[in-house]
Amino acid sequence: MMLSIMLLVSACSGNGGGVSPSAPGGDSNGDPKGVTEGGPKTVVISVMHKDRFLESAAQKFEEKHKNIRIEIKEYKASEDMGDSGLSMQAISLADVEKYVQSVTTQVMSGKGSDLILMSELPQDKFVDKKLLIDLNELLAKDSTIDRNALYTNILKASQDGDGLYAMPISFSLELFQGDTELLKKANISVDPNEPWNWEQFMEVAEKLKLQGDSEKLINLDPTSLLFDYIEDNYAELVGQGKPNFDSDLFRNKLKEIKSMYDEGLLSDGMSFDGGQAVFRMAGIYSPEQALTMPDGLDYYQKPGTSGKNNGAPFKPMYSWGINSKSNVQEEAWAFIAFMLSDEMQASPNLAGLAMNKAATNKKLKEVAEKIESGTLETMMPQNMLPSGETAKARVEAVEKQIAGTNFRRFSDMKVLIIALEEFNTFMSGQKSAEDVSKLIQNRVTTYLNE
């Protein structure tokens, strides 16, 4: 299912670190000691899973800052399945539940770690309750960071209001992968760089259905469509802690998603066969992935609710917030700044697209050059890799997509899980849209009031 794949990708996104909760510098309740008398200051970090990037960053940072110790505290319910820096770890719903519940409870009780990976957490709730500090002032006075060297559009879109409460270190792009050749054969024109809405998307699906070619079915998972809709409209559905799922707005979307499958406009499943779909979900999670899809395929913007030109939505893959109750805020910021340094942004262990523009551009060009020379080490069969010419053209296309984004996808993972659980009973015909919307409304209301 899409949720499993999304969480699997999350495992590659740098939710990392690993020490015992009872290690020096923190306790079993997540209450950091911060300063050890006569010794170095300790910055305790909350993450879901460990990875090489964070461990390497901590080690190198400590070598440069002898008076600061980085302690990584991980929360997980499942065992790792690999030992590589970007290992495909099995992040279960239990992992997400444990991380969200444990960290949220600790921070709201005035405890918790100093530095918090916010990627899976309800950032809007943290900001509303003033649990995170505004990083803008620290960023402005830090001479080690050249703000112009970063993707300023990503930085601006990462703000909540006028405040920057979580600093992105890397990010992914949320896109469609489209088979340009099949679209041409079907005499259908879709501009990869232009925004479009779901009504326009359904018109394309109708045309493909009328042509009766099974190879032209659009392969999208219904769960991913629901997630996209909730994240696109999160402020309206969950804004200010007032859920709006028990509404015609949400019920109509449930019915619309189901009808696209019932009418045969979309095919369910996660086929990766290049000839089986005109469109499929295809986020960009690494420079290599961005360039290695076969010839004849291109990136397209995902349809939105309004069709407004917000570019390709992005998601922070590493996004760090500083606990407002921490007594080592300056030291925590120093570690964030180090992760934004040229050295760490260039790290091959950094998942996603680096916030540093030059680092991302260099990585993209290196992948393109390796594709052209036939030296790229990848799991993809060589005959499926694009030509060197295509790879080089994609560097420019990906950079254009990055430059055009100004919309951050965000949500509360717990809310998404609740919606998923009830949505499945609607898609299977067990419950009506009215019943499901009320159940989601009640469960989300209970959760938000906890």
Side-chain angles (χ1 to χ4, degrees):
M1 295 187 64
M2 176 53 68
L3 179 62
S4 300
I5 290 176
M6 182 174 68
L7 294 180
L8 192 65
V9 168
S10 234
C12 302
S13 72
N15 296 355
V19 296
S20 167
S22 59
D27 61 29
S28 59
N29 294 317
D31 188 11
K33 304 301 182 185
V35 181
T36 303
E37 187 174 352
K41 294 184 178 180
T42 297
V43 176
V44 182
I45 301 176
S46 287
V47 294
M48 193 187 306
H49 275 269
K50 64 182 179 180
D51 76 4
R52 282 183 181 171
F53 173 77
L54 188 56
E55 291 182 320
S56 172
Q59 180 182 352
K60 292 179 179 181
F61 178 80
E62 288 180 345
E63 290 172 357
K64 297 176 184 291
H65 301 80
K66 300 297 185 181
N67 62 332
I68 304 175
R69 178 173 176 265
I70 302 298
E71 178 186 319
I72 304 167
K73 181 176 180 180
E74 76 175 338
Y75 298 78
K76 62 178 181 177
S78 59
E79 294 299 319
D80 293 350
M81 295 178 65
D83 190 38
S84 65
L86 302 179
S87 62
M88 300 292 276
Q89 298 171 351
I91 293 186
S92 66
L93 294 184
D95 288 318
V96 179
E97 293 266 12
K98 181 177 181 179
Y99 184 66
V100 173
Q101 182 175 347
S102 299
V103 176
T104 301
T105 299
Q106 290 165 10
V107 176
M108 287 189 174
S109 67
K111 299 180 179 180
S113 300
D114 305 294
L115 193 57
I116 307 164
L117 186 65
M118 296 300 300
S119 306
E120 311 295 351
L121 295 175
Q123 185 169 316
D124 56 335
K125 181 187 288 189
F126 277 53
V127 171
D128 182 59
K129 295 186 178 297
K130 303 186 185 319
L131 302 176
L132 303 172
I133 69 170
D134 185 351
L135 303 176
N136 271 324
E137 182 178 347
L138 291 170
L139 177 61
K141 69 180 184 181
D142 193 326
S143 61
T144 69
I145 299 176
D146 178 4
R147 193 177 186 126
N148 292 323
L150 307 178
Y151 288 107
T152 53
N153 56 320
I154 301 288
L155 204 57
K156 182 177 180 180
S158 296
Q159 294 193 161
D160 291 271
D162 294 327
L164 180 66
Y165 298 94
M167 171 62 75
I169 303 300
S170 65
F171 60 94
S172 64
L173 291 182
E174 304 290 312
L175 294 159
F176 266 12
Q177 177 180 296
D179 192 318
T180 305
E181 295 303 315
L182 285 179
L183 285 170
K184 287 180 180 178
K185 290 178 182 178
N187 199 28
I188 295 174
S189 177
V190 179
D191 191 326
N193 299 305
E194 287 298 317
W196 54 328
N197 56 38
W198 283 106
E199 288 184 4
Q200 294 170 310
F201 176 80
M202 288 176 69
E203 289 175 4
V204 170
E206 287 278 8
K207 290 179 181 179
L208 293 171
K209 182 185 177 184
L210 289 173
Q211 293 189 22
D213 191 337
S214 61
E215 285 191 341
K216 295 176 182 176
L217 289 173
I218 296 176
N219 194 327
L220 298 175
D221 184 86
T223 300
S224 62
L225 296 186
L226 178 69
F227 281 8
D228 271 4
Y229 174 73
I230 292 176
E231 291 188 327
D232 272 343
N233 299 275
Y234 191 78
E236 190 169 358
L237 290 170
V238 197
Q240 307 300 316
K242 298 176 181 178
N244 191 35
F245 291 98
D246 186 13
S247 63
D248 289 337
L249 172 77
F250 185 66
R251 281 188 284 271
N252 289 339
K253 176 52 68 171
L254 293 180
K255 294 174 182 177
E256 181 182 285
I257 292 175
K258 191 172 189 300
S259 69
M260 286 192 284
Y261 293 92
D262 291 344
E263 296 171 13
L265 299 180
L266 301 182
S267 61
D268 194 356
M270 291 299 296
S271 168
F272 291 91
D273 185 337
Q276 291 301 308
V278 173
F279 289 108
R280 60 177 61 81
M281 297 290 186
I284 294 179
Y285 301 101
S286 72
E288 179 179 318
Q289 184 205 358
L291 304 184
T292 52
M293 64 182 179
D295 283 318
L297 302 179
D298 285 301
Y299 290 113
Y300 291 77
Q301 290 192 25
K302 282 186 177 180
T305 303
S306 63
K308 292 181 180 178
N309 192 4
N310 289 318
F314 75 92
K315 273 189 173 183
M317 295 187 74
Y318 270 106
S319 190
W320 296 102
I322 297 179
N323 191 336
S324 61
K325 300 296 184 182
S326 169
N327 57 4
V328 286
Q329 293 179 8
E330 293 284 347
E331 291 76 14
W333 169 258
F335 185 55
I336 292 177
F338 180 68
M339 287 187 283
L340 284 170
S341 68
D342 291 347
E343 176 184 4
M344 295 313 302
Q345 288 284 289
S347 170
N349 292 324
L350 177 62
L353 300 169
M355 273 294 291
N356 183 288
K357 291 183 287 189
T360 290
N361 178 264
K362 182 179 180 181
K363 289 178 182 180
L364 287 168
K365 287 184 176 180
E366 286 176 348
V367 172
E369 289 169 359
K370 288 179 180 180
I371 291 175
E372 186 174 37
S373 64
T375 59
L376 181 67
E377 295 182 4
T378 176
M379 295 176 64
M380 287 187 65
Q382 288 294 318
N383 62 355
M384 289 187 65
L385 290 175
S387 66
E389 183 180 350
T390 298
K392 287 184 176 180
R394 280 191 186 143
V395 171
E396 184 178 344
V398 170
E399 290 184 328
K400 186 174 183 179
Q401 292 283 8
I402 296 173
T405 184
N406 58 19
F407 179 65
R408 169 175 56 105
R409 281 195 185 277
F410 71 97
S411 58
D412 185 328
M413 183 57 71
K414 178 65 175 178
V415 171
L416 292 178
I417 291 172
I418 290 172
L420 165 66
E421 291 172 346
E422 301 299 343
F423 177 66
N424 285 337
T425 64
F426 169 67
M427 288 297 294
S428 65
Q430 298 176 52
K431 295 177 182 177
S432 67
E434 287 71 18
D435 289 341
V436 166
S437 64
K438 291 181 184 298
L439 284 168
I440 295 174
Q441 176 79 10
N442 292 337
R443 290 184 62 187
V444 171
T445 300
T446 299
Y447 161 67
L448 293 177
N449 289 335
E450 288 177 350

